Amino acid sequence: MRSIMIALLVAALAGSLTAYLSFAPIGWWWMPYLGFAVLAALIARAPTVKRGALMGFIFGLAYFLAGVAWVRVSMNEFGGMPLLLAWFSAFLFCAFLALYPMLAGAFTAWAKPKNPWFFAFVFASAWTFAEYLRAHLFTGFEWLSVGVSQAPLGAFSGIAPVFGVFGATFFVVLIAATLLVVAPWAFRPVGSTRKGALWRLFSFDLRSSMTLIVALAVVTVTYWIGDQAFSKPEGKPLRISLLQGNVAQSMKWEPEKFAETLKLYERLVTQAKGELIILPETALPAPLSRIPPEYIERLRGIANSKNANLIIGVPVEEKGKFYNAAISLGVEDSQQYRKVHLVPFGEYMPLRGLLAWFYANLTIPMSDFASGDALQPNIKVNGQSLGISICYEDAFARDVHRMLPDATLLVNISNDAWFGQSAAAEQHLQLSQMRAIEFARPMLRANNTGITAVIDEKGRVTQRLEPFTEGILETTLQGRKGSTPYSAWGDLPILLICLAGLGIGAAQRLRRGNARTALPE
């Protein structure tokens, strides 16, 4: 019993430290290698499938509690939910997310190849496949994907243009689990001994040496891939202004704040120097049809006087449905993008009957949006094709993928004020960096309270505004054209690799089962 409690404590500690230290704002990209090596060792030593599943669940629960428990901020501080109930809801959310690591742990413990290299391959495949499922099932939640920790300077950031974020996840977890090859103690049952070797954590025999050489070779090749230019400049350099209004979320939707917000953005648009001026998500906090027409005409007039175009975040209404949208105004014809991937519990309310207790304690303004069409043309202004994502759409590679290869600039308009001064805004920025790396495109971010930033095609933040400040970020940027292997192939290659790993694990298990049941001749 004592050994179980120690293992659970180690799993929880490894999970929480991995999430807290690996991702922004701390961003120790090497931390996942240690955290997942610990988890792999715990699963390798698990005597039963149930124990492996439990290790995965506890690791995952601690991982998500440390990484995304900030969801309670929007429920409590801005949704009016009592604090204890908000924390309880956040706990349930993290417990649900932990089911995916539990599945990965259960499968790896069930398969448990005796060969350490096969074990590492199966574990990396199971974790990555579970992460892929988490990103897609029930509309998906791709936050804290392990591969994102590598953006922009991690050892496997360079693999993202080829295999995407799940490819980066796979190789990080694979290398972490491969550390067990040079730590044979991890495969011995709990309580077993090996004479004269108990004090040794690592055994540097030929197998261990070859493993380290292969790992270093993989990392070297990855860095070489990351140095390649997968896109080339398109069009002339463009002067761009990104506006950060810093409108407090507690006041954003209040009627008495409405006129003040309109004046704020009219002033910022007037001060902006760019040919393309981008405002945040729902910068105009009312449906377009309810905003005074003369105000819209004034904005259009300001843009025309600058020979510029505006991208404005504003809800739009059509046939009784509301859409979270971005519209263009200015010297070119008005165009529109409507958000496709809505935030559950924030922009629409699923399972109303089952979660009646939850909704009875939650008040979120503008929480009944409709989803835009999955296939929409990019907004084309200033000689560039803008791949626009709204809010956490840029957290999903597949949502940005559909804008490629036509998009020459990626644009995200968002409002991270929902999560206060938590790590959410920095984590969101890091997700944008990963999207830039995957598709070799610059990413422009206009965020209400921050972080408004410019990201180059290698995922590096070149300019940013401090969060919770009002300001205008002026930059000059050139669009880019071209396709990365990932924009051409999507997730199919890494899925096939993972399925191969799962198949190897199943074959290993079945072969052991057949060996046990075979009768002697």
Side-chain angles (χ1 to χ4, degrees):
M1 185 65 180
R2 181 182 176 186
S3 63
I4 296 176
M5 296 305 297
I6 292 175
L8 292 176
L9 181 61
V10 170
L13 187 62
S16 58
L17 288 177
T18 300
Y20 184 75
L21 298 176
S22 301
F23 299 93
I26 295 176
W28 291 355
W29 61 263
W30 46 266
M31 184 64 197
Y33 301 95
L34 302 181
F36 282 93
V38 171
L39 177 60
L42 291 171
I43 294 173
R45 293 165 65 88
T48 65
V49 174
K50 288 183 179 179
R51 185 74 61 82
L54 183 60
M55 291 300 124
F57 179 80
I58 294 300
F59 179 95
L61 180 61
Y63 183 84
F64 291 112
L65 283 173
V68 297
W70 41 254
V71 295
R72 71 94 194 156
V73 176
S74 60
M75 293 184 285
N76 169 236
E77 296 185 15
F78 305 119
M81 182 177 286
L83 180 59
L84 289 179
L85 186 57
W87 273 114
F88 177 68
S89 299
F91 178 85
L92 290 181
F93 176 62
C94 293
F96 170 75
L97 296 177
L99 295 178
Y100 295 100
M102 183 186 78
L103 288 174
F107 182 86
T108 307
W110 174 76
K112 198 182 285 188
K114 299 302 182 183
N115 184 298
W117 287 305
F118 278 175
F119 178 89
F121 185 41
V122 170
F123 176 58
S125 298
W127 181 277
T128 305
F129 189 71
E131 201 170 82
Y132 179 86
L133 292 178
R134 174 164 64 88
H136 288 78
L137 296 181
F138 311 110
T139 78
F141 188 76
E142 202 169 313
W143 223 278
L144 292 195
S145 291
V146 176
V148 175
S149 67
Q150 302 302 288
L153 301 175
F156 283 105
S157 63
I159 210 71
V162 180
F163 291 113
V165 66
F166 299 116
T169 291
F170 175 83
F171 282 100
V172 168
V173 178
L174 179 68
I175 294 298
T178 301
L179 292 175
L180 302 187
V181 176
V182 296
W185 57 272
F187 286 88
R188 295 198 302 275
V190 176
S192 68
T193 62
R194 191 167 74 179
K195 186 177 180 181
L198 277 179
W199 59 273
R200 292 189 304 169
L201 292 182
F202 297 96
S203 176
F204 290 99
D205 53 15
L206 178 61
R207 183 178 68 180
S208 303
S209 300
M210 288 299 297
T211 299
L212 291 176
I213 291 171
V214 171
L216 289 173
V218 170
V219 172
T220 301
V221 170
T222 300
Y223 272 114
W224 177 81
I225 294 173
D227 283 337
Q228 305 309 301
F230 290 101
S231 61
K232 59 183 180 180
E234 174 73 7
K236 65 178 183 179
L238 184 65
R239 289 180 288 109
I240 302 169
S241 302
L242 305 174
L243 309 190
Q244 182 171 294
N246 193 34
V247 179
Q249 189 62 33
S250 58
M251 295 295 295
K252 184 177 177 67
W253 300 100
E254 296 297 329
E256 60 270 22
K257 185 72 173 178
F258 179 72
E260 185 179 335
T261 300
L262 295 187
K263 291 179 182 177
L264 166 68
Y265 280 108
E266 184 177 355
R267 173 171 56 82
L268 291 177
V269 168
T270 302
Q271 294 172 353
K273 301 175 183 177
E275 304 164 79
L276 176 63
I277 303 169
I278 303 175
L279 283 66
E281 176 190 16
T282 59
L284 308 186
L288 184 61
S289 58
R290 302 179 191 177
I291 293 174
E294 59 272 18
Y295 178 80
I296 298 299
E297 288 307 312
R298 284 203 303 273
L299 290 184
R300 195 192 309 272
I302 296 169
N304 287 335
S305 69
K306 298 172 181 284
N307 196 31
N309 289 289
L310 309 179
I311 301 295
I312 301 174
V314 60
V316 298
E317 183 180 1
E318 182 179 317
K319 297 180 180 178
K321 294 182 178 180
F322 293 91
Y323 299 88
N324 192 350
I327 65 169
S328 67
L329 295 175
V331 295
E332 300 183 48
D333 292 341
S334 183
Q335 301 161 69
Q336 188 176 126
Y337 168 76
R338 296 177 177 181
K339 187 178 182 184
V340 178
H341 195 156
L342 302 178
V343 181
F345 311 109
E347 293 176 312
Y348 76 101
M349 300 300 176
L351 305 174
R352 287 183 181 272
L354 182 64
L355 298 176
W357 62 272
F358 179 81
Y359 297 127
N361 291 278
L362 187 67
T363 304
I364 299 287
M366 296 299 292
S367 57
D368 198 18
F369 282 117
S371 178
D373 294 337
L375 296 177
Q376 301 178 53
N378 291 338
I379 291 179
K380 294 179 171 61
V381 292
N382 302 93
Q384 300 292 333
S385 177
L386 307 184
I388 295 180
S389 58
I390 299 178
C391 188
Y392 90 149
E393 281 186 314
D394 69 335
F396 296 86
R398 68 182 188 271
D399 289 339
V400 178
H401 190 196
R402 63 172 177 263
M403 306 165 191
L404 277 295
D406 183 51
T408 56
L409 289 172
L410 300 179
V411 176
N412 178 258
I413 61 173
S414 195
N415 177 25
D416 287 335
W418 283 109
F419 305 106
Q421 299 192 30
S422 68
E426 293 281 359
Q427 291 175 358
H428 194 178
L429 176 64
Q430 192 174 29
L431 285 159
S432 294
Q433 292 175 270
M434 177 54 73
R435 299 293 86 85
I437 297 170
E438 287 170 326
F439 302 112
R441 295 292 192 277
M443 171 73 84
L444 300 163
R445 305 186 78 241
N447 203 311
N448 173 34
T449 56
I451 300 167
T452 295
V454 178
I455 303 168
D456 71 10
E457 72 277 6
K458 295 294 185 181
R460 297 167 297 206
V461 175
T462 59
Q463 294 173 262
R464 59 179 279 173
L465 296 178
E466 287 304 309
F468 300 101
T469 60
E470 177 191 313
I472 303 173
L473 195 161
E474 302 283 4
T475 190
T476 299
L477 198 63
Q478 192 162 31
R480 299 187 72 86
K481 198 76 172 177
S483 292
T484 63
Y486 180 65
S487 66
W489 303 336
D491 293 315
L492 180 60
I494 196 63
L495 282 177
L496 292 177
I497 291 172
C498 289
L499 290 175
L502 297 178
I504 288 173
Q508 293 277 309
R509 170 71 184 202
L510 295 175
R511 187 172 66 177
R512 288 202 311 273
N514 292 335
R516 291 194 198 100
T517 57
L519 295 175
E521 296 182 0

